[in-house]
Every structure is written in structure tokens, then in C-alpha cells.
Amino acid sequence: MSTTSFPDPGDVPVLDWLDVNLISADPLYQRPLDQARVDSILHAFTWRSFGALVVVPQADGSYHATDGQHRLEAAKLHPMVSFVPAVIVKTEDIQSEASIFVEINASRKNVSGLELFFAKLAADDDDAETIRQVCERAGVRIPKYPSAGFKPGDCIAIAAIQAVVGRRGAMRARQYLEVLAKADLAPITATHLKAVEFLMTDPEFGGVVEAEDLTATILAMNGGAEAEAKRFAATHGCPVWKGLASTWFQRCRKRRKAA
């Protein structure tokens, strides 16, 4: 038998349904309310993803929400919701109450964009499937476990890919990713993708840089463009992706614009 000792877990909490009007968030330790987040929860409200609030009973019969204030506010605004599920935890004072908030949030791991992508893919989400197809056709791999190390052509910049698909369409997004995949970048980042999109679409550069020439330039620079891009960005006060686009452009073969 193991001799490892564990802390006393304390009293077992009670799970109950509570009137939303009896619950509030104490501003002494709670974060400022993000109304946009509340609205997002409200307009996609569903019990199966609501979960349970964590609340602490007060002397006057009300409750303080130590976890779930945005879900609480969305529930209060929903015309069909009067009661919410809650885990009721007793504390001795406001300091103990605040410590629950700290403990919950200190140990909480936010879902990353990559984790959310694979979850959406499993749920047959159309946008996630589009991203998967775009990457597959471009020769880009989206690694599920990037902690194992990146290989050439790997990319976890899901939000950046989705943004390009939204702005330019799936075909253009595939073309831009293909430029980077063939350049053996490991990994392909949002900065790389923004730089390629800029070079291929901005009137200042459009029409004089071909995809295969850009790939050849990136390969030839062998990662050296990153440091130059940062210096350019610092000197000119622009984003690093613009500095990278300029760095690549300076080294890249130029083609005559079509008349």
C-alpha cells in the first residue's frame, strides 16, 4: 500500500438548483465582467455545455459565485432560465471565499486553439473540416501533440489559417500554405502565413512575386530571415510579419507585371 499522504478534502459539497436572482459575483475578488463573453454564452445557451456554478452561501440566504460569473449573467438574461445548477461550498469568511476563486483558476488549463480544432473536427464542424482539407492539400500537417517536436511542414496556427480562409477563400489559403510547406519551415507560424498573404495580395508587391520563387527564397535564407524581419520591424515600427514580407521581397526574384 502506498504511504503517500493526501490533504483532507474537507466537507463534501452539495449540488442543487438555485434561483439565479439569489446569486451574485463579489467584485472584491472577481474579475471585471466581460459583456461580450456574456453575450456569446447567451446566444449559444445550452444546458449540456452550461455545467455547474461554484457558489458560497451568505448569511442573508443569497450566494456568491466563485466560479462561473459569465455563465451566471447569461442565465439571468435568458428568458427561459430561472434556476441554475450549482455546487455549494461552505467557507468561514470572505478570505476563504476568495481563496476558492484562486484555487479554481490557478489550476485551470484553458483550452488551446489547437485542442479546440481537434474537438470541432470530431464534432464534424464544417469550418474545422475546411481547415483540415486546406492543410492536407497544401502538404501541411497539423500535429495533435506538438510537444513531441515539430517536423518540416507542421503548423498549429489554426486561427491564422481560418482567418485567411475567411478573407481569401480555401483555394488561396491552400496556395499560401503550400509556399511555406515546400520551404520546409518547422513550424509554419501565423507570422509566416501573414507575410505570404501580404506579398501575394498587396498592390505594392502583387504580380511580381511568384509562389515558386518565394519558396526558393525562404529555403535559401535557411531561417535567417527571422532575425532580419525583427530588426526591420523595430526600425520601421511595424509588425514582424510585415518585416518578414519585406525581407523576403528584397531577396526574392522579381517578375515583370503582366500588361
Side-chain angles (χ1 to χ4, degrees):
M1 182 179 290
S2 172
T3 58
T4 302
S5 60
F6 295 97
D8 183 350
D11 296 333
V12 176
V14 175
L15 180 62
D16 202 355
W17 286 80
L18 302 177
D19 186 329
V20 293
N21 294 313
L22 291 177
I23 312 172
S24 62
D26 191 328
L28 181 64
Y29 58 83
Q30 278 285 4
R31 293 167 289 188
L33 195 68
D34 182 343
Q35 191 59 48
R37 186 176 175 190
V38 172
D39 292 342
S40 176
I41 296 171
L42 174 61
H43 291 105
F45 195 99
T46 172
W47 283 122
R48 66 184 184 183
S49 61
F50 185 83
L53 309 180
V54 178
V55 303
V56 175
Q58 305 300 304
D60 61 1
S62 65
Y63 299 85
H64 282 168
T66 59
D67 183 54
Q69 69 161 332
H70 290 90
R71 286 175 286 145
L72 170 64
E73 292 305 316
K76 287 182 176 183
L77 294 171
H78 199 294
M80 298 175 66
V81 175
S82 300
F83 294 82
V84 292
V87 175
I88 304 171
V89 181
K90 293 183 180 180
T91 60
E92 301 78 27
D93 49 37
I94 190 64
Q95 288 77 21
S96 298
E97 185 178 318
S99 72
I100 296 175
F101 173 84
V102 173
E103 289 164 7
I104 290 173
N105 287 281
S107 61
R108 174 171 287 157
K109 177 182 180 295
N110 291 328
V111 177
S112 69
L114 182 65
E115 292 165 335
L116 193 58
F117 164 75
F118 280 108
K120 287 182 175 181
L121 205 57
D124 291 329
D125 180 84
D126 289 341
D127 290 338
E129 177 58 22
T130 297
I131 291 172
R132 187 197 67 76
Q133 290 181 11
V134 164
C135 288
E136 184 179 78
R137 292 167 184 170
V140 170
R141 185 180 78 105
I142 303 176
K144 194 168 187 177
Y145 304 107
S147 59
F150 292 110
K151 298 177 181 178
D154 280 359
C155 182
I156 60 171
I158 304 299
I161 297 172
Q162 187 164 16
V164 175
V165 170
R167 286 192 296 267
R168 312 292 177 185
M171 185 179 73
R172 293 297 182 193
R174 178 192 63 76
Q175 291 173 347
Y176 304 155
L177 283 168
E178 195 170 33
V179 167
L180 298 165
K182 289 180 177 179
D184 290 339
L185 292 170
I188 296 167
T189 67
T191 297
H192 296 141
L193 187 54
K194 287 181 180 179
V196 171
E197 180 189 8
F198 187 60
L199 283 173
M200 294 297 184
T201 60
D202 190 87
E204 182 181 351
F205 306 117
V208 299
V209 173
E210 296 289 339
E212 60 268 26
D213 295 330
L214 184 52
T215 293
T217 297
I218 299 171
L219 278 168
M221 296 192 75
N222 194 29
E226 312 292 335
E228 285 189 37
K230 290 177 182 178
R231 287 195 294 269
F232 183 96
T235 301
H236 294 82
C238 67
V240 174
W241 61 264
K242 275 194 176 181
L244 187 58
S246 179
T247 301
W248 283 342
F249 182 76
Q250 291 172 21
R251 303 289 187 89
C252 191
R253 175 186 176 188
K254 316 299 189 298
R255 307 254 182 165
R256 188 184 299 276
K257 286 188 178 182

